[in-house]
Amino acid sequence: MPASLRIDVDTYRGTREGVPRLLDLLDEAGVKASFFFSVGPDNMGRHLWRLVKPTFLWKMLRSKAASLYGWDILLAGTAWPGRPIGRDLGHLMRETRARGHEVGLHAWDHHAWQAHTGSWSLERLGAEFGRGLQALEDILGDKVDCSAAAGWRADPRVVLAKEAFGLRYNSDCRGSALFRPRLGNGGHGTPQVPVDMPTFDEVVGPELAAGDWNDYLLKRFRPGALNVYTLHAEVEGIAFAEDFRALLKAAREEDVLFLTLGDRLPADPRQLPAGNLVRGSLAGRQGWLGVQA
């Protein structure tokens, strides 16, 4: 039963503490994953202004965010300048690739991308993405050929802005199957590998205890499905590292075979069906996000 682990690394602490732990757990299980790094300043604490919105406040309370993420993550880039993730911790990104995992770009500034994607011009989208891509390539000393939009904030303009960079694939949306997004000029864009499984923070709350998450998730791996699961270095790599170890063990017993996202692509991407990537919504997640239509 093929599946994939997409690992989003959003913050300084997630890179420094979560990534090394995840690398050890993946090595222990003999699993390769796809890591997507934020490489610029860690300004994630600036999301706190969203607490004035009842839906976001409820999500923070439901997931016990302070104990889950830590106050250093929740306040990053507020009372002090955001720490430069790539400059300080680039060696961990190089180690990730050296251990055989796929490495791609998540964002230059995760907060800025998530907060402003919808209003930036096409030129600004391209410049912001290009800045992050160049930084990650400088860190790795090699070409980067994949990306995953922060917070799944992607729409037709984002798809178009990324076309200039010649990537092998993007993982910018929620959906159910690989596809090539349609472009406004009648052509087709870089293949998309959507995420079809829920994330921890979307589900865990009053109806589901954190201790029940693994069982809940394992029941959603299905033969013939895409089975792409997004985990976060800040969650499964720190507070729930032992739970993630147990998940990997249980998945192996269920004959789940983890492949990188890139390994899911056909030899000829032109074989993929065309589709549309549009703005949509998802239960448990605030605001709009890219969805496969």
Side-chain angles (χ1 to χ4, degrees), residues 251-274:
R252 182 169 60 248
E253 293 170 353
E254 295 289 336
D255 292 326
V256 175
L257 174 65
F258 287 114
L259 305 169
T260 66
L261 296 187
D263 286 339
R264 308 295 294 276
L265 293 170
D268 183 0
R270 291 174 298 181
Q271 299 173 357
L272 293 174

Side-chain angles (χ1 to χ4, degrees), residues 62 198-208 213 216 283-284:
R62 184 189 69 196
T199 63
F200 182 96
D201 62 308
E202 291 169 357
V203 175
V204 169
E207 293 80 20
L208 184 72
W213 170 248
Y216 175 91

Side-chain angles (χ1 to χ4, degrees), residues 140-213:
L140 298 176
D142 199 2
K143 180 175 174 57
V144 174
D145 64 1
C146 56
S147 78
W152 292 280
R153 290 282 183 154
D155 59 13
R157 294 164 60 255
V158 170
V159 170
L160 188 58
K162 285 188 175 187
E163 281 304 296
F165 298 93
L167 301 181
R168 184 180 175 214
Y169 77 85
N170 293 302
S171 180
D172 295 333
C173 66
R174 306 296 282 267
S176 59
L178 277 67
F179 71 102
R180 293 180 300 152
R182 294 186 178 91
L183 302 177
N185 59 10
H188 300 93
T190 301
Q192 286 283 340
V193 184
V195 170
D196 63 335
M197 303 187 79
T199 63
F200 182 96
D201 62 308
E202 291 169 357
V203 175
V204 169
E207 293 80 20
L208 184 72
D212 296 328
W213 170 248

Side-chain angles (χ1 to χ4, degrees), residues 6 8 10 44 47 50 55-56 59-60 62 69 106 110 114 149-153 174 195 197-203 230-232 280-291:
R6 168 183 146 171
D8 290 358
D10 300 347
M44 287 295 282
H47 280 303
R50 295 162 66 196
T55 54
F56 187 72
K59 178 181 177 180
M60 292 294 99
R62 184 189 69 196
Y69 296 104
H106 200 33
H110 190 293
Q114 201 166 352
W152 292 280
R153 290 282 183 154
R174 306 296 282 267
V195 170
M197 303 187 79
T199 63
F200 182 96
D201 62 308
E202 291 169 357
V203 175
T230 297
L231 58 143
H232 289 82
S281 60
L282 192 69
R285 189 158 291 278
Q286 186 193 23
W288 67 272
L289 72 165
V291 298

Side-chain angles (χ1 to χ4, degrees), residues 12 33 62 65 77 79 123 133 136 138 144 167 226 277:
Y12 193 100
R62 184 189 69 196
E123 292 73 22
L133 191 67
L136 184 56
D138 289 346
V144 174
L167 301 181
L226 194 54
L277 194 162

